[in-house]
């Protein structure tokens, strides 16, 4: 079994009309055994940027802490909050620094630019950025999420419709993956604020 | 994990059988996985080999299907030759013969359970390697390790049919929650002299569990 599949994860981000969504599952496993059903894989970076990390759980936890430190330092030096595109470049750099001994994670970033423009991107474990204007996926359920997103997504979905779309994509994708699921959490980022909802899903 | 060939379909599973006075209750989850992908989420792992004798399959899907088909054939022949239904012990013995003699080529962990005139309800277990065991209740499959303690604590000899059904639902439900290779619905069957009653327990009908 690959090291990226050891803990299990599903992460997806989608673009809507003046809003973005980011969702993850909540399982923490050790191969087939489920150890935790409340493992946080997505964290706020600023009020307008959320980052979700799929992959090896220890690296997920370590990187969340490292990003927090780097963003705080940025704020001290620049005297302003970091923008999504800049943050994604920072993440890419931090991952490529470890090119020959990488962090086993696949980041997914969702945010709103200063002008309100939605922003999403994903990366591989050594920092290759993939910008998208529709959706990005990561984790053991990535293939399933691609299928769900490709069929369910359409442009210009409002916050409520985007929530329904990303929730259905997540719930049905993880039902076909034995390594992810056991609950899910969805964050919708709008200019007015963040709406966070827990999804009730299959606990198998 | 299990010794499956690359690409082979896995019945990573939770299965169990419990004896009561008058018959047996057998239960299984419904997940079949190829690697991490869930190939079938509504599998039926409770397979009939005779009218009142079922086997619960775990391990390689192909291996257990093939073995069950062969045993079914032999039991059919037995009925023709003897003019009476085979006992559960006979069925289990046939399973054992195949699993033991082909131990190097098979990945099968099977529970055989049913009702016969001689003994009433009967449960047998054939783990990997092909040994034969006759416990009062049996649990098997990758998910069984998570419920050994629960089953040892909850089982009491002389439980009624309804108590056995609740015991099985609770046990398989707990294993499904913890084992990544088990999931879907719980399929139950109650085998008595009057026949086989099958039921399906969906996720939202499971007994309450702590899930954090």
């Amino acid at each position: 079994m690959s090291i990226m599949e050891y803990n299990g994860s599903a992460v997806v981000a989608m673009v809507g009309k003046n809003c973005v969504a980011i969702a993850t599952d909540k399982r923490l496993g050790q191969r087939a055994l489920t150890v935790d059903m409340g493992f946080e894989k997505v964290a706020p970076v600023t009020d307008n940027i959320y980052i979700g990390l799929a992959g090896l759980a220890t690296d997920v936890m370590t990187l969340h802490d490292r990003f927090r430190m780097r963003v705080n330092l940025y704020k001290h030096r620049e005297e302003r909050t970091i923008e999504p595109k800049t943050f994604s470049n920072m993440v890419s750099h931090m991952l490529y620094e470890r090119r020959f001994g990488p962090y086993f994670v696949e980041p997914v970033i969702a945010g709103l630019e200063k002008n309100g423009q939605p922003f999403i991107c994903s990366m591989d474990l050594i920092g290759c950025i993939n910008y998208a204007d529709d959706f990005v996926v990561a984790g053991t359920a990535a293939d399933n999420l691609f299928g769900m997103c490709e069929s369910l997504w359409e442009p210009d979905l409002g916050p409520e419709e985007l929530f329904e779309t990303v929730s259905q994509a997540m719930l049905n994708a993880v039902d076909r993956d034995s390594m992810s699921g056991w609950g899910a959490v969805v964050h919708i980022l709008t200019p007015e604020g963040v709406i966070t909802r827990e999804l009730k899903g299959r606990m198998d | 994990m299990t010794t499956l060939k690359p690409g082979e379909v896995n019945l990573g599973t939770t299965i169990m059988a419990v004896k009561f006075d008058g018959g047996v209750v057998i239960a299984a989850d419904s997940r079949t996985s190829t690697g991490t992908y869930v190939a079938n989420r509504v599998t039926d792992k409770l397979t009939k080999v005779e009218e009142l004798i079922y086997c619960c399959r775990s391990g390689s899907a192909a291996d257990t299907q093939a073995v069950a088909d062969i045993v079914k054939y032999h039991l059919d022949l037995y009925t023709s030759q003897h003019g009476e239904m085979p006992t559960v012990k006979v069925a289990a013995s046939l399973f054992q013969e195949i699993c033991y003699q082909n131990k190097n080529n098979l990945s099968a962990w099977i529970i055989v359970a049913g009702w016969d005139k001689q003994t009433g309800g009967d449960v047998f277990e054939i783990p990997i390697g092909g040994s034969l065991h006759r416990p009062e209740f049996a649990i098997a499959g990758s998910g069984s390790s998570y419920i050994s303690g629960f089953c040892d604590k909850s089982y009491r000899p002389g439980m009624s049919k309804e108590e056995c059904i609740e015991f099985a639902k609770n046990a398989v439900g707990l294993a499904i929650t913890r084992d990544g290779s088990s999931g879907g619905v719980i399929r139950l069957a109650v085998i008595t002299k009057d026949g086989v009653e099958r039921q399906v327990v969906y996720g939202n009908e499971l007994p309450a569990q702590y899930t954090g």
Side-chain angles (χ1 to χ4, degrees):
Chain A
M1 173 185 277
S2 148
I3 196 160
M4 299 291 283
E5 289 170 13
Y6 181 72
N7 294 125
S9 46
V11 186
V12 59
M14 274 189 185
V15 164
K17 194 170 176 69
N18 301 322
C19 59
V20 284
I22 182 165
T24 71
D25 72 320
K26 285 164 57 171
R27 179 179 184 266
L28 172 68
Q30 283 172 349
R31 290 229 170 91
L33 168 64
T34 303
V35 168
D36 187 9
M37 302 162 210
F39 184 64
E40 292 279 322
K41 294 169 203 185
V42 63
V45 175
T46 68
D47 289 337
N48 292 315
I49 313 172
Y50 271 63
I51 181 164
L53 292 167
L56 195 62
T58 180
D59 287 347
V60 167
M61 294 171 77
T62 299
L63 279 174
H64 273 137
D65 285 344
R66 292 199 66 215
F67 295 146
R68 192 156 50 97
M69 189 177 85
R70 292 289 295 263
V71 166
N72 287 342
L73 281 171
Y74 181 95
K75 191 161 188 187
H76 274 294
R77 293 179 186 137
E78 297 266 331
E79 292 181 10
R80 62 190 177 100
T81 8
I82 195 168
E83 288 296 309
K85 193 143 190 288
T86 318
F87 176 65
S88 67
N89 270 283
M90 178 193 273
V91 171
S92 168
H93 181 85
M94 287 169 75
L95 293 178
Y96 198 81
E97 266 182 330
R98 293 279 169 267
R99 170 64 176 83
F100 298 109
Y103 289 110
F104 296 106
V105 296
E106 282 170 344
V108 164
I109 297 169
L112 294 169
E113 300 271 351
K114 240 195 341 258
N115 58 7
Q117 181 84 332
F119 173 90
I120 57 169
C121 76
S122 66
M123 262 167 255
D124 66 5
L125 77 174
I126 45 176
C128 170
I129 310 181
N130 162 44
Y131 297 109
D133 51 17
D134 43 12
F135 49 84
V136 289
V137 303
T140 50
D143 289 357
N144 309 356
L145 281 164
F146 267 129
M148 289 307 305
C149 292
E150 199 66 57
S151 36
L152 294 183
W153 186 86
E154 54 185 59
D156 293 326
L157 291 166
E160 290 306 316
E161 296 171 299
L162 188 64
F163 167 73
E164 292 298 327
T165 306
V166 82
S167 301
Q168 285 302 317
M170 173 62 71
L171 286 176
N172 292 294
V174 301
D175 280 353
R176 279 287 180 172
D177 179 24
S178 53
M179 306 296 279
S180 55
W182 280 264
V185 62
V186 183
H187 302 277
I188 310 286
L189 282 71
T190 67
E192 290 77 47
V194 181
I195 312 156
T196 300
R197 293 188 184 98
E198 307 273 331
L199 295 182
K200 190 166 155 210
R202 301 183 62 91
M203 304 296 273
D204 65 1
Chain B
M1 291 255 260
T2 38
T3 49
L4 295 167
K5 297 181 274 306
E8 199 180 0
V9 165
N10 182 17
L11 277 182
T13 288
T14 312
I15 47 174
M16 71 186 285
V18 197
K19 222 189 313 198
F20 65 91
D21 181 24
V24 292
V25 172
I26 58 175
D29 75 301
S30 70
R31 178 170 288 184
T32 305
S33 28
T34 30
T36 55
Y37 179 67
V38 177
N40 187 351
R41 60 193 184 118
V42 289
T43 324
D44 185 4
K45 304 181 188 180
L46 306 175
T47 303
K48 185 172 91 163
V49 291
E50 244 305 343
E51 267 325 299
L52 296 177
I53 307 176
Y54 273 62
C55 69
C56 311
R57 301 180 293 112
S58 74
S60 153
D63 288 354
T64 53
Q65 281 177 11
V67 172
D69 281 348
I70 294 168
V71 170
K72 189 178 198 184
Y73 162 78
H74 280 288
L75 289 175
D76 202 24
L77 199 53
Y78 181 103
T79 312
S80 302
Q81 289 171 343
H82 293 75
E84 63 176 12
M85 303 282 269
T87 58
V88 185
K89 189 191 238 179
V90 164
S93 212
L94 289 168
F95 269 104
Q96 184 198 18
E97 187 65 17
I98 300 173
C99 290
Y100 176 73
Q101 296 297 346
N102 295 289
K103 60 159 70 194
N104 294 324
N105 298 316
L106 289 175
S107 180
W109 188 0
I110 294 174
I111 295 175
V112 186
W115 184 92
D116 61 56
K117 232 177 13 205
Q118 218 176 67
T119 323
D122 217 352
V123 170
F124 291 86
E125 186 181 343
I126 300 137
I128 309 254
S131 56
L132 182 62
H133 303 270
R134 193 184 201 174
E136 288 299 300
F137 75 93
I139 54 173
S142 55
S144 63
S145 14
Y146 307 114
I147 51 172
S148 304
F150 170 80
C151 290
D152 288 343
K153 190 72 182 170
S154 307
Y155 176 77
R156 287 159 293 115
M159 290 198 289
S160 68
K161 179 175 94 166
E162 288 68 30
E163 286 173 316
C164 286
I165 292 173
E166 277 312 292
F167 173 50
K169 277 189 203 172
N170 271 301
V172 178
L174 286 167
I176 280 176
T177 303
R178 285 289 177 174
D179 181 26
S181 312
S182 304
V185 302
I186 303 181
R187 294 200 190 276
L188 281 156
V190 183
I191 310 174
T192 60
K193 70 176 183 340
D194 301 319
V196 180
E197 293 165 38
R198 299 206 56 157
Q199 42 172 296
V200 183
V201 182
Y202 300 101
N204 58 349
E205 297 159 10
L206 276 177
Q209 280 179 26
Y210 171 72
T211 48

